[in-house]
Amino acid sequence: MSHPPSDEPRPIAESLGPWGIRSGLSASSLQRLDPNKHPSKSWVIQHWRGQLSLRKSLWLNLLFLNLLDIGLIQTHIVFVSLFSEGFQISLKRIYWFVLFFSFVWYIVGVWRSADRIERRDRIWSKVAKVFIATLSLYLLGLNFAWPPYQRLQDQREYLAGDPGAGTRSVRVSEDGTTIEINGWLGRGQETVFRDILSKTSGVRTVLLNSRGGRTAIALDIEEQIRANGINTSVRGQCISSCALIFMGGREREFYRTASLGFTGLLDDDNRELISKAYLSGGFPASFVEHLRQRPAYPTWFPTYRELSDAGVVTRFVK
């Protein structure tokens, strides 16, 4: 006995996995759920579903990720000094959260776009997948393998005396009253400085002309200067770690044609140690806190008024 065709949709028996689970959905229902049948108007969702062309998905959204990264970094640099330390930490977490999920969104979308065109364009599909796999491995290595490698390489350069950092010298003047420190602050200079002090009794001033160097070396020399009650003077440039040595002077002389630059401590591994040293040197807490709130770059060159008000410089020379 035949029956007239029913208007009710028939359930389809389509396995959803090795356990033989049936969907129980009609063909018309599946069509309504198929994202390729009903693409979203949102670019973000289209990319996530793999509905964008591979060209747009791969290249345009990669450009978007780079612009997003640059925008977040610049925003952090510009506004970092306006917020408290706790808020800065939260801001950094938000930055990494947004960047991580944006990257996942990009990878998944490109892979799905490559899958969608695989039958008609196998070559470009494979090229896109190889590119995505390579990019993923590169970024993983950059974030997890590169930092330990950098620390190891940095330690090797330190032990070798930082041969690529340029010339440096520690020497005493003919009259024995001044020690000049020039160039990079590297391993061994603290020993030379200590030997000069032990052999020369009339040293009154340390003349600095350096763009910085190793923090540990600078702190060692600064302690020796402070312990012996020696003055410090800057006539050329004194930047980054050199400023640590400058603060050890009993009197701190600064020529108006010179430059004194401080590196921000926001992301510095020695942040607490350097902060304590600045405070021990008599720098006001507000000045040190400002350094703690600043990123390492760009270097901060305080005005004469700021240096005078904070007591960083005790005597200006024209």
Side-chain angles (χ1 to χ4, degrees):
M1 182 177 178
S2 62
H3 297 279
S6 172
D7 292 335
E8 291 295 322
R10 297 179 182 180
I12 64 172
E14 187 168 326
S15 174
L16 298 183
W19 300 277
I21 301 175
R22 308 293 183 178
S23 69
L25 294 175
S26 67
S28 60
S29 298
L30 284 174
Q31 287 179 354
R32 286 194 298 270
L33 293 175
D34 184 1
N36 292 318
K37 296 290 183 180
H38 301 280
S40 170
K41 293 182 180 180
S42 168
W43 181 282
V44 174
I45 296 177
Q46 283 182 353
H47 174 82
W48 175 256
R49 290 175 175 177
Q51 294 170 344
L52 295 175
S53 68
L54 186 58
R55 183 183 302 175
K56 292 179 180 178
S57 184
L58 183 63
W59 299 116
L60 284 183
N61 288 335
L62 181 61
L63 175 63
F64 163 75
L65 278 187
N66 279 280
L67 292 176
L68 176 65
D69 187 24
I70 294 172
L72 289 172
I73 291 175
Q74 292 301 318
T75 301
H76 184 263
I77 291 175
V78 171
F79 293 104
V80 67
S81 60
L82 302 178
F83 304 118
S84 65
E85 184 174 339
F87 188 83
Q88 290 175 26
I89 295 174
S90 300
L91 201 62
K92 186 178 292 185
R93 289 174 179 171
I94 292 173
Y95 164 77
W96 285 112
F97 178 86
V98 171
L99 207 60
F100 173 77
F101 281 98
S102 297
F103 176 71
V104 171
W105 167 81
Y106 173 74
I107 293 296
V108 171
V110 173
W111 196 274
R112 287 175 173 173
S113 292
D115 268 342
R116 185 170 54 82
I117 69 163
E118 186 169 6
R119 289 186 177 180
R120 70 174 185 270
D121 200 340
R122 180 178 294 272
I123 294 179
W124 281 111
S125 175
K126 295 298 182 184
V127 168
K129 289 183 177 181
V130 169
F131 173 79
I132 287 299
T134 304
L135 179 63
S136 301
L137 291 174
Y138 168 75
L139 291 176
L140 287 173
L142 189 65
N143 287 281
F144 295 102
W146 183 250
Y149 171 78
Q150 274 190 316
R151 285 193 291 270
L152 178 62
Q153 188 67 18
D154 186 67
Q155 184 66 16
R156 288 176 178 173
E157 291 180 359
Y158 168 72
L159 293 175
D162 298 308
T167 59
R168 74 292 304 269
S169 66
V170 180
R171 61 192 182 190
V172 63
S173 62
E174 292 182 359
D175 62 3
T177 61
T178 303
I179 296 178
E180 298 179 12
I181 298 179
N182 298 290
W184 180 259
L185 301 171
R187 182 172 181 245
Q189 285 179 284
E190 78 284 12
T191 303
V192 175
F193 187 86
R194 185 179 292 108
D195 289 342
I196 291 176
L197 283 182
S198 65
K199 298 174 182 178
T200 310
S201 58
V203 175
R204 294 195 297 269
T205 304
V206 173
L207 184 60
L208 300 167
N209 182 28
S210 170
R211 58 184 174 84
R214 299 287 177 174
T215 299
I217 304 301
L219 288 174
D220 191 317
I221 296 176
E222 182 270 337
E223 288 178 2
Q224 296 180 56
I225 291 174
R226 188 188 304 279
N228 288 274
I230 300 173
N231 302 325
T232 53
S233 176
V234 177
R235 300 178 186 178
Q237 63 173 352
C238 184
I239 300 171
S240 190
S241 298
C242 179
L244 292 171
I245 300 178
F246 179 71
M247 75 177 180
R250 183 171 59 85
E251 296 291 333
R252 296 184 286 269
E253 181 184 72
F254 184 76
Y255 280 68
R256 291 189 179 272
T257 55
S259 59
L260 183 62
F262 293 84
T263 300
L265 304 177
L266 181 62
D267 300 309
D268 199 306
D269 293 337
N270 298 309
R271 186 184 191 199
E272 299 304 325
L273 179 64
I274 296 175
S275 298
K276 184 177 179 180
Y278 278 135
L279 291 171
S280 300
F283 287 16
S286 58
F287 187 90
V288 178
E289 184 60 26
H290 181 72
L291 288 174
R292 289 173 61 88
Q293 303 283 353
R294 291 182 62 88
Y297 299 100
T299 302
W300 178 43
F301 293 90
T303 63
Y304 298 140
R305 179 65 179 272
E306 289 172 327
L307 291 173
S308 177
D309 290 347
V312 174
V313 174
T314 58
R315 187 166 80 93
F316 286 96
V317 181
K318 292 184 180 181

